[in-house]
Amino acid sequence: MIKLSSLKNDIPLPIRLFLGKALLFFIVWKLIYSVFFYDSEYLDHPLTTHVGEASAFVLNNLGSMSGFSSKREASSYAYEGSSFQNEVSVIYHHDKIILYIANVCNGLELMVLYIGFIVCMPSSFWRKTKYIILGVIILDATNILRCIGLIYLREYFHIYFDFAHHYLFKIMVYSATIALWVIYSRKIHLKNE
């Protein structure tokens, strides 16, 4: 039988420190988000609106597609016998609804996860700041491209929409996050203290 104290000693100190910081960061974020930001949508509302507007803008201005617009609307849905209402960013193509972008799809959680990794790794303040800013911009652009891809599939290849929404584009977004982490981690040298 493996003893917990033996397992703890097998994990190098820098890894234990990183895991401890990451767990603490995750708990603090979840508490702050659920207490201050979830109901107010102070963070979600502008980010979801931005993703919708940017997706429509790119579709209208870069390529042969046009006639897209984005509006913030209330959406109702039922889940396990209860009805819920929340605001979503809705993408229209010539007054036909093409895509709903809910707050859970705005990329906020992924950005916080990315930032948490950077904050918990040892490095200089300026290097962390640079990677956080560039990484958040890249992740936001990746999420907008994901929405554009979903809109394109919904319009022209509807049969592939569900697969792309549930699997393909999630793999794309998470791969971008992991690639950013790998690039950041390359020049970090952990010392066993």
Side-chain angles (χ1 to χ4, degrees):
M1 186 170 165
I2 299 174
K3 293 183 180 180
L4 191 57
S5 62
S6 169
L7 182 61
K8 178 184 162 200
N9 292 333
D10 289 343
I11 300 173
L13 180 61
I15 303 299
R16 286 185 295 184
L17 288 173
F18 169 77
L19 293 174
K21 288 179 193 176
L23 180 62
L24 181 64
F25 185 91
F26 177 76
I27 291 169
V28 169
W29 161 250
K30 283 298 187 183
L31 286 172
I32 290 172
Y33 181 78
S34 62
V35 171
F36 297 108
F37 297 121
Y38 182 74
D39 289 331
S40 70
E41 293 189 1
Y42 181 72
L43 295 174
D44 286 314
H45 178 85
L47 186 57
T48 304
T49 302
H50 158 71
V51 170
E53 290 174 352
S55 299
F57 176 83
V58 170
L59 284 166
N60 288 327
N61 293 295
L62 297 177
S64 61
M65 299 174 75
S66 64
F68 290 92
S69 62
S70 173
K71 296 178 187 164
R72 188 81 179 168
E73 296 180 0
S75 174
S76 300
Y77 63 96
Y79 180 72
E80 294 184 357
S82 299
S83 65
F84 299 93
Q85 185 167 344
N86 63 349
E87 286 194 22
V88 297
S89 196
V90 182
I91 306 291
Y92 287 90
H93 189 212
H94 300 298
D95 298 325
K96 175 185 164 194
I97 294 175
I98 299 298
L99 187 70
Y100 291 96
I101 303 172
N103 288 341
V104 296
C105 300
N106 64 16
L108 179 64
E109 283 290 322
L110 195 59
M111 290 177 197
V112 171
L113 183 67
Y114 170 78
I115 291 168
F117 178 88
I118 301 298
V119 168
C120 294
M121 291 295 287
S123 191
S124 72
F125 173 79
W126 293 114
R127 185 167 189 267
K128 287 181 182 188
T129 303
K130 178 177 79 171
Y131 273 87
I132 287 172
I133 292 169
L134 290 173
V136 166
I137 291 169
I138 290 169
L139 291 176
D140 183 49
T142 303
N143 194 38
I144 291 166
L145 289 174
R146 177 186 74 89
C147 291
I148 291 168
L150 289 171
I151 292 166
Y152 185 80
L153 288 175
R154 174 74 82 185
E155 275 293 285
Y156 299 107
F157 301 99
H158 187 59
I159 192 168
Y160 301 114
F161 177 84
D162 285 332
F163 173 77
H165 180 254
H166 294 292
Y167 304 106
L168 182 64
F169 288 128
K170 282 184 182 178
I171 291 169
M172 179 183 85
V173 171
Y174 284 111
S175 296
T177 306
I178 292 168
L180 289 168
W181 284 340
V182 168
I183 292 166
Y184 176 78
S185 300
R186 279 190 189 159
K187 294 186 178 183
I188 293 176
H189 302 288
L190 299 176
K191 296 174 185 170
N192 198 2
E193 299 172 3

